[in-house]
Every structure is written in structure tokens, then in C-alpha cells.
Amino acid sequence: MKATKILVSLISIAFLMLVVAYTFRMGMAKYSLVVLTIPITIFFMNHQKILYGAIICTVFSKLTFPGLPSTLYIYHLLVLLAIGIHIINVCITKRKNKQNPTVRFLSGLLILNVAIIILFRGAGLRILGDENWGGMRYVETLLPLGLIFLTPQFRFTADEWKKIFVFFVIFSGLPLASEAVFLLSGGRVYQQFYLVNFNMSTLSSITSQEMGHEMVRFQSANKIGPILLVLSSGFFIFRKLNFYSLGMYVLGFMLIGLSGHRSGMIDMALITFVTGLIYFQKKKVFYFIFLSIISLFGLLLVYHYAAHLPLTFQRMFLILPNIEVAQEARLDATISMEWRLDLWKEALREIHNNPGYLLLGKGLTYSSTEYNALKFFDFSYWWAILTSNYHQGILSLLIVTGIPGFIITTAIFIQGLKDHTVFQKSLTQRTLLSSFHYAFLVYSYIVIVKFYVVYGDITIYVPSIIYMFFVMNLLSDSIRQEEKNRIDAVAVPRDAAALLR
């Protein structure tokens, strides 16, 4: 056995050396990094908890490395690796996934629907020499759907979940940290973007800074801000009102304010309302009276002091009617809203002129010639139209995937919410994990409603919602294991007493 291991090791080393030598000789040195996939795959096959933990932690990190397509991140590679390992496990153990069968069936239908669109509209992959572009977005949208089909052979413990959430916050904060360093240094420190993907909104922020505008938005903060609110909500639901939960809540609010996103303010309002409703579920009358008083007092403060707050906070509070804010903040928000309304009108016009999109979607590909011509026009507006980024869930689904894709995707969301709502109602005891499950479920409802009403693009929101279902699946597995351990712990002393009798 020892001789066999040595022989296999020597053959593997020789193979890797040949691959490296070939890539260097062909002038493709960066592709020699592919050899790293072999030891990494072997490591994760033997440490699948670390792999799944890494998937949870890196979803919003935008971690990448030189040579990887700009729309793909390390997160996508980890998901691909997990899918591959899952297929191997299923082939060996013959164990089938019995959890959420309807969601998995519908996800398969959605993949088939998109495959048909690709067949008729083209893949749009530049590496295949396609004159149309945009095909990589199929990969970043469909790959996370594979998370629905995963059946891990393990269960995370409560202590492991705590560590995962700590690293989740740290990794999710990397885009904000990178953006902050870039903006605060006036663009002189940019090396971090070799490993953390550059956000185009950061470019508009540095442009505003260089032009002397007072409002410079840290837009990456709108991702980490709601995350902190969700985790804080989990602690509140668990009835742990302490320094850490309050600290996360306040920090989440401050980060959303720095981003200037009104949608973040909607997140905060809804998360706060529902969390309080759960926390005071046995004292609802008291809660509504308390909420009315606090809301009235808070609104009075906001309306009175809004004009004295930083401009990004003023922009965030513009969801409130007739509020007095600086002209720059109001103008920026107004332009954004008008831009979005015009975009929606253009999307409706596109459906009217191309009714065939409702039967067979337009897809995600677009003309490279038209894209290159955009530099002579309003790039932001026509870019959104050309690349099918309509910023509205219903329009995006109808145009990109057609009525079949709209129905299937909506059914996935409804069934996923239903499954986890039924599971949450079946729980008889409130634990930290069940509280986090509840918090993710609440936020899933909020995000899905926002997707259809306020803002939504398929390539951004569908993977995010599927990711939340994936996390809730893992949490529900851990909760079931907790309950089983608790029942076993009660049953063992009874069995011992029976033996003594």
C-alpha cells in the first residue's frame, strides 16, 4: 500500500510538471494555476464542512484572482466544486435527496427553460468565438441553482454556525473595505482589486469625489448593512437583547446610510417591524402601541434633523414624503428614479415590439457591435437596455425567460418560502439556530417582494434568493439534528432507569 501511494504521488507530480511546462511554452502561464485544482479538490473532498462553510462565507465577498472572468468569483468555483463532489457522493452512496423535492423539480425545469433559450438565442460566450456576448451571466445565474440539489453528509453544530456567521460578516465586508481604501486614498491604492472584484459604482463615487461633489457614496455598504440587520434580527428573535445584537443593528443602519440606498432603508424598516412582531408575539397590543410611539418620535427627529445629516443619509431618507434635504441629495435620487422609470417604459415598449419574447425569452446575450457603439451615447441607460438589466423583477423575468420562466421562477420562490414557513411552524422550541432560520426566512420574504415590486435583475436577485434557501436548508438540517440529540439525551436516562429496575 505504501509503495502504491508513493507511485501515485510521483505520477501526479510528473503530470503537474508537464502541465506547467506546456502552459509556459504556449505562452499561457496564468493557466498553469489550473494544477492547483487537484490538491484543492482532494482537500475539500476530505473536508466538506470547510467547503460548505466557505460557500456560505464568500457569497458576497467578490473574491477573485487574476485570469478569472470578471463576472465569476471564487464563490462560483466553490459551488462548482461542491456540485462535483456531491455527484461523486451520490454515485458512491446511492443516497437520494428527499428534502424540498418540489423546489428541486422546479429548479430543474428552470434550467431546462434557460437551456432552450440558449439553444435558440445562442450561448454568447466569447471564448467560443461568439459574436454576441453576455453568456457568462448564464453561468453565474444557473450555477447557484445547483445549491438546491446538494445533500451534505454532515450537519453543522451550533458552535460551527457561530463561527461561520463571524467569517460570513468578515468576508462580506471585503468589498466595502476595498472601496473605502480606494476612495479615501483618492484612487492611489487600488492593488486590492486584484483579489476583490472592482465595482463600477465605485468608479462613479471616485468621479464624484474628483469633481468636488460633497456626496460620495460607499455603495458596497448596502450589502453588508442588511446582513448585519439579519444577524441582529436572529439574536433578537432568540430573545438576546445584548451589546452585540444592538451593535450589529446600529452598525447595519450606519452602513446603509453611507451607501445612500433607499432600498436599504426599506430593508431596515421591514426587518425591524417583523422582528419586533416576533419578539413581542405574546404582547402584540403593547408592541403596536410601543411601535407607534417610537415611530412617531423617530419620524419627528428625522424630519427635523435630516437636512443636517451627511448627504448619503439624506438620500436614504428620501423614501419619506415631503422631507427637507439638500438639493444635491434630492437631485441625485430624482435622477435615479426618473432613469429607472424610463427604463421600465423602454422594457414595456420592448415587449410590445417583440411579443415573441413572452413565449421564448430574449435571453441574456447581446450584440457585441451594439455594445461597443454605446460609448458614443448615454452608456448607463442604453447599457441597461441592451444587456437586459431592467431593474424590475417582473419585467426581467418576462423579457429574459418568457412567461414559462416567469411562472417557474415564481413557483420556486413560493414553494421555497412555503417549505421553510411550514418547517418554522413545526418547531416547538426556540433555539439560536431556529432564530437565525427565522431571520433568514423573514429576509427572504422581503427580498422576493422587493424583486417583484421595487428593484430586481435576474443575475443578481435569483442567485441571492437561491443562496438564502440553501442556507436555510443547512440550518434546518442542523435544527433537526439538535432536536434528535435532545430527544436522545432525554431517552437515555429513562432507558438506564428501566434497566436498573
Side-chain angles (χ1 to χ4, degrees), residues 24 56 97 133 207 252 255 273 347 371 425 441 500:
F24 270 84
I56 297 171
N97 188 347
W133 293 350
T207 302
L255 290 175
F273 172 73
Y371 184 85
K425 289 181 178 180
L441 179 59
L500 290 174

Side-chain angles (χ1 to χ4, degrees), residues 164-421:
I164 286 172
F165 286 136
V166 169
F167 283 105
F168 176 47
V169 171
I170 293 172
F171 278 99
S172 299
L174 289 178
L176 173 60
S178 301
E179 184 178 34
V181 170
F182 180 74
L183 293 178
L184 294 176
S185 67
R188 288 185 292 273
V189 180
Y190 59 86
Q191 289 78 6
Q192 65 274 18
F193 292 119
Y194 288 119
L195 298 177
V196 179
N197 194 55
F198 183 77
N199 193 334
M200 290 306 295
S201 62
T202 304
L203 185 60
S204 62
S205 297
I206 194 68
T207 302
S208 298
Q209 188 181 63
E210 290 178 347
M211 293 177 66
H213 293 171
E214 294 183 24
M215 186 169 65
V216 178
R217 299 170 60 190
F218 291 85
Q219 298 202 43
S220 297
N222 194 47
K223 185 63 70 176
I224 181 69
I227 288 172
L228 290 172
L229 293 179
V230 171
L231 296 180
S232 174
S233 172
F235 281 112
F236 278 127
I237 294 172
F238 188 51
R239 301 185 181 279
K240 282 199 172 183
L241 183 60
N242 54 29
F243 173 79
Y244 296 105
S245 56
L246 281 174
M248 284 191 292
Y249 183 86
V250 173
L251 182 58
F253 166 72
M254 297 297 292
L255 290 175
I256 291 173
L258 286 175
S259 73
H261 278 274
R262 288 162 290 180
S263 63
M265 189 63 190
I266 295 173
D267 286 346
M268 181 177 176
L270 293 176
I271 290 173
T272 303
F273 172 73
V274 178
T275 301
L277 196 62
I278 298 168
Y279 187 85
F280 294 103
Q281 57 184 327
K282 295 181 180 179
K283 302 178 181 179
K284 291 183 179 178
V285 176
F286 166 78
Y287 171 63
F288 282 110
I289 295 174
F290 175 76
L291 180 65
S292 299
I293 296 172
I294 292 296
S295 298
L296 180 60
F297 181 70
L299 286 173
L300 289 174
L301 287 177
V302 170
Y303 271 92
H304 184 72
Y305 291 105
H308 303 285
L309 295 173
L311 289 177
T312 53
F313 282 80
Q314 294 185 38
R315 188 186 191 280
M316 177 185 69
F317 283 125
L318 275 169
I319 61 171
L320 300 174
N322 300 320
I323 189 169
E324 291 293 331
V325 297
Q327 188 63 27
E328 184 176 350
R330 185 176 297 279
L331 181 63
D332 185 83
T334 302
I335 292 173
S336 174
M337 180 57 69
E338 291 178 351
W339 180 90
R340 189 168 300 180
L341 291 174
D342 288 341
L343 188 63
W344 294 352
K345 291 177 184 177
E346 189 66 36
L348 291 172
R349 188 178 297 112
E350 192 169 3
I351 293 175
H352 180 266
N353 294 333
N354 302 278
Y357 287 165
L358 296 177
L359 180 62
L360 178 67
K362 173 186 176 183
L364 290 170
T365 60
Y366 52 86
S367 168
S368 58
T369 303
E370 292 180 10
Y371 184 85
N372 288 325
L374 287 178
K375 59 187 177 182
F376 301 108
F377 302 95
D378 182 353
F379 180 82
S380 177
Y381 180 73
W382 290 108
W383 169 87
I385 295 171
L386 180 64
T387 59
S388 302
N389 286 280
Y390 299 106
H391 289 52
Q392 211 282 331
I394 296 175
L395 293 174
S396 296
L397 287 173
L398 286 176
I399 296 176
V400 175
T401 65
I403 292 177
F406 172 82
I407 294 174
I408 296 169
T409 305
T410 303
I412 291 174
F413 295 162
I414 293 173
Q415 187 63 44
L417 292 175
K418 178 184 175 182
D419 288 344
H420 288 287
T421 302

Side-chain angles (χ1 to χ4, degrees), residues 479-498:
I479 294 166
R480 291 189 184 96
Q481 187 63 46
E482 269 190 339
E483 291 193 342
K484 182 178 181 300
N485 293 341
R486 188 163 51 250
I487 293 172
D488 291 344
V490 173
V492 168
R494 292 178 179 174
D495 294 341

Side-chain angles (χ1 to χ4, degrees), residues 40 44 51 54-55 58-59 61-66 68-82 143 171 174 194-197:
I40 291 174
F44 280 127
L51 173 60
I55 290 173
T58 60
V59 60
S61 68
K62 293 190 177 181
L63 278 174
T64 185
F65 58 80
L68 196 66
S70 60
T71 55
L72 294 183
Y73 308 130
I74 288 177
Y75 163 75
H76 295 106
L77 300 183
L78 292 171
V79 172
L80 182 62
L81 184 57
L143 194 58
F171 278 99
L174 289 178
Y194 288 119
L195 298 177
V196 179
N197 194 55

